[in-house]
């Protein structure tokens, strides 16, 4: 019983190759994390395994018992109800038909002895907090987190030995992430999981990294994988330094050898002139010397080009930086100044208020706070109250005079989709910086000249995040308050590490909504507002 992927390649309709020559085996009892930068094709590979996409070449063999798949996106199920999405509707209808007295063989065949299917389905949905939703409830009326929980419930309903999950912790709050972690640890079957959740990845004893030309398998969890990648990176850096030294030496030897040859040729020509060698003979000797010099030069050019090609390959294999050089200035506010004060505030979008108990809190300069609460508890609404986009229906909220803040939402809406990358950067160049400095900052944030004309609407979440920080650096106007709303959602791990490093370097006040415990620990959250 195994999933066996053999030499899989996938080429987009526009002829761009996403990946090639991918081979991997997931055997009985394996628990594997699948990582790779955004756009490397992780979700595509999983859809090929499940048969939802056809590879351009290669084969996939699946266990006879079948597999269960939890996708990352659920829009394709919006026309279904919960029972249909979970593929249990036919069995439940057959069960009810039999219980109502119909004994046709077709109903027994559909039910296939699964007499407790309805009971198991209800129990699984209740386990994931969906006990209030009937099986006929339309999927399009569910939130992103509720849709995720529906498909996670399917793991208990179908009880397959092989489960594939694509970013299963997206939209899950703390309590349900913990439920998923417990399931992963206790599950006795096989798992292949795409995730940027480092807590989850550390529960898996094998980590696979998808790259354009293959999969590298590391015999350890995510932290082990990171250690190995660091060692690999250091090795490549040493090799780069050695090759650069070889290139400098090769160029020096080539230059010195040619200079010696030219001096030798000049001396030889002078000696021949003194000896009275005829002009025809001199011409022949000069031609021979030129041929000899050209051959010598060609040898050194070949050697230099060989080293340069080796350098190019090494540089292409070197991982991109996991940190960016950010130098936000310290906020001018002294530590401890009250930025926001709330007394007995509440808000509601109907007659019912969001919070059973009105909220009292203060936000002081220099603090790092989290707004914590389950899905639907009003975290984003509270951010709007803090920033003045909404006013409380009960109680009072006050803000420091001239309070400046940056609100980095999940969509990175400070980035305008109708601009190019360069136009977006120029819009924040209010100082203004000289053009060469602005372009230097773009390069520092991994936006080289060949992408400056790329429309912002085509950027990934991670690229928008980097461009947002790049714009703040260009603007050079450090905010008093940095507000981050689920900043790690839809980012690959490299970009999570970039945003983590950037926030750690920022010395002002941070207010964050996040269900990523590792991220919260890394940026030094020390207070919370609980809803």
């Amino acid at each position: 019983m195994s999933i066996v992927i053999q030499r899989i390649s996938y080429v987009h309709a526009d002829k761009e190759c996403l990946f090639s020559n991918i081979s991997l085996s997931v055997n009985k009892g394996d628990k594997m994390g699948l990582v790779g930068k955004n756009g490397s094709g992780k979700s595509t590979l999983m859809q090929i395994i499940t048969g939802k996409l056809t590879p351009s070449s290669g084969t996939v063999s699946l266990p006879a018992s079948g597999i269960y798949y939890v996708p990352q996106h659920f829009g394709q199920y919006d026309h279904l109800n919960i029972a249909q999405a979970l593929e249990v509707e036919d069995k439940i209808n057959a069960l009810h038909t039999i219980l109502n007295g119909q004994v046709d063989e077709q109903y027994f065949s559909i039910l296939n002895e699964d007499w407790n299917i309805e009971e198991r389905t209800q129990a699984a949905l209740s386990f994931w907090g969906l006990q209030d939703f009937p099986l006929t409830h339309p999927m399009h009326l569910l939130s992103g987190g509720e849709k995720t929980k529906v498909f996670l419930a399917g793991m208990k309903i179908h009880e397959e030995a092989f489960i594939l999950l694509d970013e299963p912790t997206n939209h899950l709050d703390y309590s349900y992430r913990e439920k998923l972690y417990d399931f992963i640890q206790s599950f006795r079957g096989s798992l292949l999981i795409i995730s940027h959740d480092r807590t989850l990845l550390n529960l898996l004893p094998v980590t696979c990294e998808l790259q354009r030309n293959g999969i590298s398998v590391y015999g350890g969890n995510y932290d082990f994988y990171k250690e190995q990648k660091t060692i690999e990176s250091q090795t490549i850096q040493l090799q780069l330094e050695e090759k650069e030294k070889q290139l400098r030496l090769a160029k020096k030897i080539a230059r010195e050898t040619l200079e010696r040859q030219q001096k030798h040729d000049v001396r030889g020509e002078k000696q021949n002139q003194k000896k009275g060698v005829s002009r025809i003979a001199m011409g022949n000797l000069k031609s021979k010397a030129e041929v000899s010099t050209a051959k010598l030069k060609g040898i050194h050019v070949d050697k230099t080009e060989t080293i340069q090609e080796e350098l190019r390959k090494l540089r292409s294999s070197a991982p991109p930086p996991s940190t960016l050089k950010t130098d936000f200035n310290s906020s001018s506010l002294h530590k401890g100044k009250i930025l926001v004060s709330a007394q007995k505030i509440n808000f509601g979008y109907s007659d019912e208020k969001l919070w059973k108990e009105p909220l009292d809190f203060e936000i002081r300069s220099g603090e790092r706070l989290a707004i914590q609460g389950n899905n639907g508890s009003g975290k984003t609404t509270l951010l709007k109250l803090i920033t003045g986009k909404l006013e409380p229906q009960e109680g009072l909220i006050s803000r420091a005079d001239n309070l400046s803040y940056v609100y980095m939402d999940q969509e990175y809406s400070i980035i305008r989709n109708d601009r190019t990358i360069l136009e977006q950067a120029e819009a924040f160049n209010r100082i203004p910086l000289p053009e060469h400095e602005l372009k230097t900052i773009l390069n520092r944030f991994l936006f080289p000249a060949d992408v400056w004309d790329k429309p912002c609407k085509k950027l990934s979440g991670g690229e928008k995040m980097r461009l947002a920080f790049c714009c703040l650096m260009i603007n050079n106007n450090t905010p008093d308050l940095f507000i981050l709303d689920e900043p790690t959602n839809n980012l690959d791990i490299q970009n999570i590490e970039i945003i983590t490093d950037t926030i750690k370097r920022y010395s002002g006040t941070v207010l964050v909504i996040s269900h990523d415990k590792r991220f919260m620990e890394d940026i030094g959250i020390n207070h919370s507002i609980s809803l």
Side-chain angles (χ1 to χ4, degrees), residues 1 14 47 49 82 93 114 140 149 162 186 195 213 222 257 263 296 341 360 391 398 426 439 473 481 505 529:
M1 288 178 60
D14 61 4
Q47 290 181 65
I49 296 171
I82 290 175
N93 287 343
D114 198 354
H140 75 270
K149 291 173 190 175
F162 284 78
S186 62
S195 183
N213 296 316
Y222 179 75
T257 302
K263 287 177 182 177
L296 190 62
S341 177
D360 290 278
E391 291 298 331
S398 58
E426 288 171 337
K439 290 179 176 178
M473 288 295 301
L481 179 61
R505 290 168 183 263
I529 301 171

Side-chain angles (χ1 to χ4, degrees), residues 333 338-340 386-387 398-405 479-481 483 509:
L333 291 172
I338 296 174
L339 304 184
V340 180
I386 289 170
T387 57
S398 58
R399 305 168 192 89
D401 293 339
N402 302 316
L403 175 67
S404 66
Y405 67 87
D480 300 318
L481 179 61
I483 301 172
T509 311

